[in-house]
Amino acid sequence: MSDGPDPDDVPSALAELTGYELWEHTQRWGEQVAAARERMLAAPSPSARVALAPGFLRPVRQLLTLRLVAVARARRRAFPVSVPPADSHGIATLWAEVFWAARARSPDDDSGVLSTTDVSIRGLLALQPSDLADPDELRAWCERLESVEETFDGLDMEAQAALEELQAAVEHQQQVRRGAS
């Protein structure tokens, strides 16, 4: 059974996915992350958790890639490009594009959300199986992943709102032109 494109193996396939397909794959990988987390938490020992960790880390990275592809795609449609689009679908490359474009839109934002998300993504990418031997550490990293996803949701919603405003402006201009003729 295939779970769709594997972001590590077929990066060009992600660019070809429709919005719905991307959402569908994201949901599946999110379910895999949750299932792997539960298996690790149920493991009887630290060594058993370490043995299960690759089965958790791989879907985490795939989920991050899919989420970033969706966020980057939405932001490219909604906002003028102030940062060159990523030419790769790697997590670090896509995050750099989204991060710097978001910073360019609000350089005075002192909330720290983007910086905190940046640290969390770097940490998630650097995780080794041995880092997840302790169930409390696993829970902490899962919380950080959830926080990253909340940031992605916020960035995506911002892009969707901007895109809706642009579409409304275009529709208004079309109505004005029709009324003038």
Side-chain angles (χ1 to χ4, degrees), residues 4 10 28 43 47 50 74 80 88 90-91 102 104 122 130 134 149 159 165 169 180:
V10 191
R28 275 195 238 143
S47 61
V50 169
S88 164
I91 295 169
R122 290 172 191 271
S130 60
D134 182 314
E149 288 199 85
E165 285 179 27

Side-chain angles (χ1 to χ4, degrees), residues 39-106:
R39 282 191 299 275
M40 287 184 66
L41 287 172
S45 68
S47 61
R49 275 186 290 286
V50 169
L52 291 170
F56 172 76
L57 293 172
R58 183 171 183 259
V60 163
R61 290 181 178 118
Q62 291 169 330
L63 178 63
L64 286 171
T65 300
L66 288 163
R67 289 299 310 270
L68 277 165
V69 166
V71 170
R73 183 185 292 178
R75 294 186 68 81
R76 287 175 195 154
R77 282 193 318 258
F79 302 118
V81 177
S82 59
V83 175
D87 59 357
S88 164
H89 292 289
I91 295 169
T93 304
L94 286 166
W95 173 239
E97 175 189 337
V98 170
F99 177 90
W100 289 112
R103 289 293 299 219
R105 287 194 48 75
S106 57

